[in-house]
Amino acid sequence: MKTIKSIISHAVSFVFPITCSLCSTDLPRGAKQRVCPSCFEGLTKNDGLICKKCGVFLPDGGEHCYACLKDRKRFSFDTLRSPYVYQDGVRKLILKFKYSGRMFLTKEFENSLADTAVKNNFHNLTECIIPVPLNFVRRVKRGYNQAELLAFGAASKISKPVYTNVLYRKKITKPQFKLAKSARIENVKNSFLVKNIELIKNKNILLIDDVATTGATLSTCAAALKLAGAKKVFALTLARDM
Ligand SMILES: [Zn+2]
Ligand SMILES: [Zn+2]
């Protein structure tokens, strides 16, 4: 017997059909995904030749990118991996996810994140997940932290605890996308604070965010966590900007 809830949801989807978040074609009634299979397949994957350390695409192959080769201590995280390249459809979806309240898009992304975690053995190497935090004001304004949604989505697939009471933003940093690359590194320096240290002492951590551009935010988070006693910090983002 149909519940009232399912009757209402059928009626709503009849009046307002669910459409693909990229190409706007109608999706089948009751569809869980909000991106059509063809758009989803078309997203640019970051699974070719990449830097062993920072995950950046290497058009000419090799083990490391030039910057990581030149400075092995460039980043405080141990490895960064991302299932997608931050361009075209991926970029559009992440912007909707982040700024247009399209929280349902977590569903599209959590499998990709979990798959990348498993492919890189992060599920065995780490003991807990920590999302990159937003500062308090931005968190309240947006109503959600996209990194936190991704972290919980991925955690449900790889069975790890998610700690949202460990890493905090210390001061209000300007949104990274408004700054030039060099200014971004300065912007995040010393901007994170670690609480409840006992949760992460001698643990290996999986740090999750939506996008990695310079890697500066992830590196600063990893440095703060390690300073507080964490052993290794592996970073996982949905997309890698090149
Ligand atoms: Zn589509
Ligand atoms: Zn690199």
Side-chain angles (χ1 to χ4, degrees), residues 51 54 56 65 68 74:
C51 173
C54 76
V56 78
C65 70
C68 287
R74 179 177 172 227

PDB file of all heavy atoms in Angstrom, residues 51 54 56 65 68 74, ligand 2:
ATOM      1  N   CYS A  51      50.691  13.204 -10.529  1.00  0.00           N
ATOM      2  CA  CYS A  51      51.806  13.297  -9.576  1.00  0.00           C
ATOM      3  C   CYS A  51      51.512  12.390  -8.377  1.00  0.00           C
ATOM      4  O   CYS A  51      50.429  12.421  -7.825  1.00  0.00           O
ATOM      5  CB  CYS A  51      51.981  14.742  -9.119  1.00  0.00           C
ATOM      6  SG  CYS A  51      53.188  14.938  -7.792  1.00  0.00           S
ATOM      7  N   CYS A  54      50.908  15.058  -5.201  1.00  0.00           N
ATOM      8  CA  CYS A  54      49.824  16.047  -5.135  1.00  0.00           C
ATOM      9  C   CYS A  54      48.671  15.773  -6.103  1.00  0.00           C
ATOM     10  O   CYS A  54      47.707  16.530  -6.132  1.00  0.00           O
ATOM     11  CB  CYS A  54      50.382  17.450  -5.345  1.00  0.00           C
ATOM     12  SG  CYS A  54      50.781  17.833  -7.057  1.00  0.00           S
ATOM     13  N   VAL A  56      48.293  16.072  -9.249  1.00  0.00           N
ATOM     14  CA  VAL A  56      48.071  16.933 -10.400  1.00  0.00           C
ATOM     15  C   VAL A  56      48.351  16.146 -11.691  1.00  0.00           C
ATOM     16  O   VAL A  56      49.191  15.236 -11.701  1.00  0.00           O
ATOM     17  CB  VAL A  56      48.945  18.216 -10.278  1.00  0.00           C
ATOM     18  CG1 VAL A  56      50.380  17.974 -10.653  1.00  0.00           C
ATOM     19  CG2 VAL A  56      48.347  19.355 -11.075  1.00  0.00           C
ATOM     20  N   CYS A  65      55.246  15.857 -10.187  1.00  0.00           N
ATOM     21  CA  CYS A  65      55.223  17.113 -10.922  1.00  0.00           C
ATOM     22  C   CYS A  65      56.524  17.856 -10.603  1.00  0.00           C
ATOM     23  O   CYS A  65      57.197  17.531  -9.617  1.00  0.00           O
ATOM     24  CB  CYS A  65      54.003  17.939 -10.553  1.00  0.00           C
ATOM     25  SG  CYS A  65      54.034  18.622  -8.889  1.00  0.00           S
ATOM     26  N   CYS A  68      56.703  19.352  -6.946  1.00  0.00           N
ATOM     27  CA  CYS A  68      56.886  18.364  -5.868  1.00  0.00           C
ATOM     28  C   CYS A  68      58.287  17.755  -5.922  1.00  0.00           C
ATOM     29  O   CYS A  68      58.877  17.418  -4.901  1.00  0.00           O
ATOM     30  CB  CYS A  68      55.836  17.264  -5.938  1.00  0.00           C
ATOM     31  SG  CYS A  68      54.198  17.804  -5.418  1.00  0.00           S
ATOM     32  N   ARG A  74      56.964  20.376   0.218  1.00  0.00           N
ATOM     33  CA  ARG A  74      56.061  21.423  -0.237  1.00  0.00           C
ATOM     34  C   ARG A  74      54.678  21.343   0.431  1.00  0.00           C
ATOM     35  O   ARG A  74      54.072  22.344   0.755  1.00  0.00           O
ATOM     36  CB  ARG A  74      55.929  21.205  -1.747  1.00  0.00           C
ATOM     37  CG  ARG A  74      55.058  22.113  -2.471  1.00  0.00           C
ATOM     38  CD  ARG A  74      55.138  21.775  -3.952  1.00  0.00           C
ATOM     39  NE  ARG A  74      54.153  22.537  -4.668  1.00  0.00           N
ATOM     40  CZ  ARG A  74      53.331  22.030  -5.568  1.00  0.00           C
ATOM     41  NH1 ARG A  74      53.403  20.746  -5.882  1.00  0.00           N
ATOM     42  NH2 ARG A  74      52.464  22.794  -6.169  1.00  0.00           N
TER      43      ARG A  74
HETATM   44 ZN    ZN B   2      52.998  17.218  -7.377  1.00  0.00          ZN
END
